[in-house]
Amino acid sequence: MNLAVIGAGYVGLVTAAVFAELGNRVWVIEIDEEKLAKLQKGEVPFYEPGLAELVLKNLEKKRLSFTRAYSKAVPGAEVIFVCVGTPTKRGKVDLSAVYEATRELAENLKQPAIVALKSTVPPGINLKLEEWMRGFTQEEFELVSVPEFLREGKALEDTLSPHRVIIGANNTVAAEKLLSLHRGIGGERLVCSPTSAQLIKYAANAFLPTKISFANSIAVLCDKLGAEVESVIKGLGMDRRIGPEYLKAGLGYGGSCFPKDIEALTNIAKEAGYDFRILKAVKKTNQAQIKYFVGKVLRLSGGSLKGRVLTILGLSFKPETSDIREASSLYLIKALKKLGAKIRATDPAALKEAKKKIKGVAFFADPYQALKGADALLLVTEWEEYQKLDFEKVGQAMRTRVVVDGRNVYNQEELEKLGFAYEGIGK
Ligand code: UGA
């Protein structure tokens, strides 16, 4: 099939690469000139395992092309995916990129097409958006919603073998066409209205952090009651009605999706006349987790952080990504600096991003260098290489042997044997 994808962010680029890999002819429209120039040379502007190889392969096979011009990509496309960003501004979803993209798209329609929204948009937007687009074209089009559920770092796996493909289409011909386009992609199928599809996306991105905040609350209780969070969570997740995933306790969730979508759904509900109380508590619990962690660092540092050298291991919002948007590290560093600590930090992929965003921190590529003279090691993002550190070497580099484990990855007994004071969360 001939396809167009608007926006070469995570969602757009992965969607384009995967559909090209499945044999479709895909044009990607990107308005950022710098990003576009890179992509045309086969360079992926962010770190995502396996993606650069897939992009390059399909560029060479001429199944994938990049352009700034809607007039090149849109006219021949049977399905056009809208994958532009929908950030939140003061809690409200900013749809300006969606309106801009759909306007240019409509102006360039030359044949009937399916316009599939992959951007996360407020449920029920289709009527208004359709009316807006009809103002720019006489051509027939069907506006549907195919929300994206991929995780950064696992984007290809999640796109090729998702749990489900949700097709929000009122028109059965359009639904059939999308079902056939998704042949070759795994997972269950659900066809529903666009509004329902859009709400499924928000519900998923609100429910998962709800599970995380719940697990984090249980972890705090474990600390207070002397229970072991790992056993408690394991036992909890063994109940198939609950399931083991998204119950890992730690410093809390971050990233470009959960915090933004929790905020957005809270406001969408409010505008619809409903007070979504649970979500407010989820957000507060997540913020409180940083304070709780700082409390541990303070206690293990003898009650004051003035002049203390603290080394942060991991800056990205989770392992296997260079993305630091809404990362726990940002909030933690801010809080620790306020208390007078001197921060040294390292990350395998996010240093470039971090240097742009975080000031007053000494950055190092090598974790052992970063730990030189440190009074405490703070594990913030559980990258594999930090889980496999040589703690003899770590101990020699540090001034004081203190480890505060924000992701519960280290073996307490082993560290204590080596003379480290250790605390996790709920352990
Ligand atoms: C999330 C969703 O998982 C995807 O399904 C969705 O498509 C995506 O948002 C989006 O809307 O684009 P992502 O933000 O890439 O994906 O990250 P996750 O892997 O879900 O992790 C989010 C945060 O939760 C991370 O900070 C992670 O460290 C934290 N987390 C995750 C926990 O603290 N505990 C857990 O058990 C799981």
Side-chain angles (χ1 to χ4, degrees):
M1 237 181 250
N2 285 328
L3 309 175
V5 172
I6 307 178
Y10 267 99
V11 172
L13 196 53
V14 173
T15 302
V18 164
F19 279 127
E21 179 67 14
L22 292 173
N24 300 286
R25 176 75 185 89
V26 190
W27 272 102
V28 181
I29 301 166
E30 175 54 54
I31 57 168
D32 181 326
E33 296 288 349
E34 203 182 316
K35 210 166 165 188
L36 177 64
K38 276 192 175 169
L39 288 165
Q40 284 170 332
K41 284 186 271 173
E43 289 168 27
V44 173
F46 49 83
Y47 174 69
E48 180 63 41
L51 184 60
E53 292 85 335
L54 205 64
V55 166
L56 201 61
K57 177 180 164 195
N58 284 284
L59 253 182
E60 279 164 3
K61 296 217 159 176
K62 303 214 179 317
R63 290 192 296 238
L64 186 62
S65 317
F66 298 93
T67 179
R68 166 64 184 89
Y70 280 69
S71 57
K72 250 189 194 164
V74 169
E78 293 164 75
V79 182
I80 301 148
F81 288 99
V82 178
C83 305
V84 296
T86 51
T88 41
K89 264 194 195 153
R90 274 165 255 111
K92 282 206 145 198
V93 186
D94 177 3
L95 289 169
S96 50
V98 171
Y99 278 104
E100 193 49 31
T102 47
R103 178 187 57 76
E104 244 188 289
L105 184 173
E107 284 169 352
N108 285 281
L109 276 177
K110 294 277 179 296
Q111 64 176 33
I114 295 174
V115 177
L117 295 173
K118 265 198 176 285
S119 304
T120 303
V121 292
I125 193 185
N126 275 35
L127 267 184
K128 205 170 149 201
L129 200 55
E130 205 176 309
E131 205 179 283
W132 159 258
M133 289 173 67
R134 296 232 184 266
F136 302 102
T137 184
Q138 302 294 320
E139 215 38 87
E140 269 316 302
F141 65 87
E142 189 64 35
L143 188 60
V144 305
S145 205
V146 186
E148 183 53 64
F149 300 101
L150 65 82
R151 288 164 298 174
E152 288 183 21
K154 299 229 162 57
L156 291 184
E157 181 187 323
D158 284 352
T159 307
L160 279 163
S161 319
H163 295 174
R164 76 297 210 190
V165 175
I166 305 287
I167 294 178
N170 290 326
N171 173 305
T172 44
V173 179
E176 284 302 327
K177 190 153 197 170
L178 284 163
L179 284 170
S180 110
L181 177 63
H182 283 81
R183 221 171 278 144
I185 286 181
E188 292 188 66
R189 304 289 191 257
L190 177 72
V191 177
C192 56
S193 70
T195 306
S196 300
Q198 289 153 1
L199 189 52
I200 289 169
K201 170 68 188 184
Y202 275 111
N205 270 10
F207 188 72
L208 293 170
T210 303
K211 278 187 96 176
I212 297 170
S213 277
F214 186 86
N216 283 333
S217 301
I218 292 291
V220 173
L221 261 189
C222 284
D223 274 340
K224 295 196 185 296
L225 303 176
E228 262 291 319
V229 74
E230 269 151 33
S231 306
V232 175
I233 291 300
K234 194 168 178 190
L236 178 67
M238 279 173 169
D239 186 326
R240 282 198 293 274
R241 293 169 302 174
I242 297 170
E245 290 187 69
Y246 283 77
L247 285 178
K248 217 162 68 198
L251 264 164
Y253 60 80
S256 64
C257 304
F258 287 171
K260 149 180 105 70
D261 290 346
I262 285 267
E263 194 77 25
L265 188 55
T266 307
N267 279 306
I268 288 165
K270 189 177 168 196
E271 276 172 21
Y274 178 65
D275 183 6
F276 210 144
R277 296 174 188 85
I278 295 173
L279 298 188
K280 293 181 188 164
V282 169
K283 180 180 167 184
K284 271 194 192 152
T285 305
N286 199 51
Q287 290 168 337
Q289 212 57 10
I290 303 278
K291 280 195 204 133
Y292 187 64
F293 186 84
V294 171
K296 282 180 186 275
V297 180
L298 254 174
R299 214 173 37 253
L300 284 167
S301 306
S304 167
L305 292 182
K306 266 228 163 78
R308 295 274 172 169
V309 179
L310 306 177
T311 297
I312 307 270
L313 298 188
L315 295 159
S316 57
F317 82 95
K318 64 173 185 179
E320 296 297 328
T321 175
S322 56
D323 196 341
I324 61 165
R325 283 177 287 177
E326 292 296 311
S328 305
S329 63
L330 302 178
Y331 295 98
L332 181 64
I333 288 172
K334 204 168 162 193
L336 295 171
K337 275 185 18 195
K338 229 178 178 175
L339 294 171
K342 289 188 182 144
I343 309 291
R344 295 163 74 88
T346 182
D347 189 282
L351 279 186
K352 202 170 137 207
E353 286 304 306
K355 281 178 190 167
K356 277 191 252 165
K357 260 205 164 166
I358 314 171
K359 300 292 161 215
V361 166
F363 293 104
F364 301 86
D366 176 59
Y368 298 101
Q369 278 295 324
L371 284 160
K372 228 177 198 165
D375 293 308
L377 174 164
L378 313 184
L379 192 272
V380 176
T381 315
E382 67 278 31
W383 285 92
E384 209 180 322
E385 68 168 279
Y386 301 150
Q387 298 189 39
K388 291 187 177 153
L389 285 178
D390 173 351
F391 271 93
E392 297 270 8
K393 217 169 137 187
V394 168
Q396 281 156 17
M398 293 176 74
R399 185 161 66 183
T400 323
R401 295 191 176 202
V402 171
V403 171
V404 196
D405 182 355
R407 300 292 171 186
N408 286 347
V409 294
Y410 295 130
N411 184 315
Q412 179 159 5
E413 231 173 81
E414 278 173 20
L415 289 189
E416 284 174 353
K417 259 192 220 148
L418 290 170
F420 285 91
Y422 172 91
E423 264 202 51
I425 297 177
K427 288 169 84 162

